[in-house]
Amino acid sequence: MSTENVKRSKSKYDEALAKYNTNIDDEQVKKAVRKIIEERVPENDTLEVKKFLMGSIELTTLKTTDSEESVLAFTEKVNQFDEAYPALPHVATICVFPNFANIVSQTLEIDGVEIACVAGCFPSSQSFIEVKVAETMLAVKDGATEIDIVMPVGKFLSGDYEGVCDDISELKEACGECPMKVILETGCLKTASNIKKASILAMYAGADYIKTSTGKLEPAATPEAAYVMCQAIKEYYNETGIQIGFKPAGGLNTVMDAVTYYTIVKEVLGEQWLTNRWFRLGTSRLANLLLSEIEGKETKFF
């Protein structure tokens, strides 16, 4: 690519970012989030909200020890849940490594549960684009109905916005009709300004959802990162008319964590995003915790 073309490409991304306020003060974000948590979270600490959250969970197993047998048993639990708890919504998604897409696809019996695969060399995104594309296409071929990729964080932090967007766009093309979630790994981005920029670039390049974290690095999801990402989604929607989903993942350890993210989405994005299509929770441990609170007794189903 000529120097002139590089400049033109870079200016295209700078032009996209210039439409949004990316000069954000981290302390102001913390203050705004504190206010939401103190004033709004208590009113959402209800049985109705917890039932809704149950239906937004992406039940996830991304362990080194995963096997065909363990993923089969994991999927069967989702099949059995519908019969065991007919009054509750089933989880939104089962999320697995790409090599297990086929076994989930063959085993899953519940309509309305998506099959998400982490692809594109999760969790680092550090490989050749050809490898990332091949893995993504194979996951879709084997039955994935959604794809989660990681933004190339190193490229972003070095200011290579063209490289970031090219990666995301190529993987979006590899997804075909499958919705694609772009993981920002917000803990590596450090500042609210970087999180806002990364959110906008990911959406601009083709993300259908933006997601906080892989869950493999600390810090993972935080309410502050969620607040900034939701602001970016709202502004992008106002600018383009395109609705983008939101998924906090990693570090969701308590029911109140989930209620907090629900509240941030409600306050920043509004009711339009409060469906299990547009709001997802990437977790596994949370499923039993929510179920226990809904049932009023300790329950370990999953």
Side-chain angles (χ1 to χ4, degrees):
M1 186 182 279
S2 71
T3 306
E4 186 185 340
N5 284 339
V6 168
K7 283 179 182 171
R8 192 181 301 126
S9 296
K10 283 186 178 176
S11 70
K12 181 171 69 172
Y13 303 111
D14 292 332
E15 194 178 307
L17 288 172
K19 294 177 182 177
Y20 304 89
N21 174 28
T22 58
N23 186 21
I24 308 168
D25 182 84
D26 288 84
E27 285 307 312
Q28 288 298 109
V29 169
K30 285 179 184 173
K31 188 177 173 183
V33 169
R34 236 180 356 253
K35 184 175 167 66
I36 288 173
I37 290 172
E38 287 170 6
E39 296 181 6
R40 297 297 182 189
V41 166
E43 70 193 40
N44 295 316
D45 185 13
T46 67
L47 187 62
E48 184 183 357
V49 167
K50 287 165 190 172
K51 286 180 179 178
F52 165 80
L53 291 169
M54 193 78 206
S56 285
I57 284 178
E58 297 207 344
L59 203 65
T60 303
T61 181
L62 297 171
K63 300 196 292 285
T64 303
T65 52
D66 286 343
S67 64
E68 287 201 354
E69 291 75 20
S70 70
V71 172
L72 177 66
F74 189 73
T75 308
E76 285 289 10
K77 280 289 185 183
V78 175
N79 292 339
Q80 293 157 11
F81 183 84
D82 221 35
E83 192 175 330
Y85 297 96
L88 294 180
H90 52 64
V91 297
T93 314
I94 293 176
C95 184
V96 295
F97 284 116
N99 48 312
F100 297 118
N102 184 57
I103 196 157
V104 176
S105 178
Q106 296 298 317
T107 309
L108 185 62
E109 297 167 358
I110 307 301
D111 290 337
V113 176
E114 303 293 342
I115 303 167
C117 284
V118 293
C121 298
F122 175 95
S124 69
S125 191
Q126 297 285 20
S127 191
F128 304 101
I129 188 63
E130 295 86 353
V131 175
K132 297 183 191 180
V133 166
E135 186 182 45
T136 301
M137 292 178 76
L138 285 166
V140 173
K141 174 179 167 288
D142 269 7
T145 61
E146 295 181 353
I147 294 292
D148 291 26
I149 67 156
V150 180
M151 177 187 79
V153 177
K155 287 181 181 179
F156 175 84
L157 292 174
S158 63
D160 181 10
Y161 297 160
E162 181 186 7
V164 170
C165 291
D166 282 352
D167 259 39
I168 293 169
S169 296
E170 284 201 52
L171 290 170
K172 172 63 178 169
E173 192 175 334
C175 288
E177 296 298 309
C178 288
M180 182 179 74
K181 306 186 199 89
V182 176
I183 303 165
L184 306 183
E185 201 65 286
T186 52
C188 294
L189 302 182
K190 306 297 184 188
T191 68
S193 179
N194 275 346
I195 293 169
K196 185 79 171 280
K197 287 177 184 175
S199 298
I200 292 160
L201 290 172
M203 293 185 286
Y204 182 78
D208 298 291
Y209 294 77
I210 51 176
K211 174 177 168 183
T212 57
S213 324
T214 61
K216 303 297 184 186
L217 296 175
E218 294 295 336
T222 66
E224 290 76 18
Y227 178 80
V228 174
M229 289 169 70
C230 287
Q231 279 190 320
I233 290 168
K234 185 70 168 179
E235 290 174 29
Y236 186 80
Y237 178 72
N238 290 340
E239 177 72 30
T240 66
I242 299 168
Q243 187 168 1
I244 303 294
F246 172 62
K247 178 181 173 182
L252 277 71
N253 296 317
T254 69
V255 170
M256 283 312 297
D257 287 340
V259 174
T260 297
Y261 289 116
Y262 172 94
T263 305
I264 290 168
V265 169
K266 184 178 180 182
E267 293 301 314
V268 179
L269 291 171
E271 299 282 346
Q272 189 177 339
W273 268 262
L274 291 178
T275 74
N276 78 346
R277 177 180 176 188
W278 299 111
F279 176 49
R280 301 280 182 77
L281 297 161
T283 181
S284 280
R285 65 173 70 90
L286 198 58
N288 284 330
L289 295 175
L290 273 169
L291 194 54
S292 296
E293 290 218 5
I294 291 165
E295 291 293 294
K297 61 183 180 184
E298 187 176 2
T299 307
K300 290 184 179 176
F301 183 85
F302 293 104

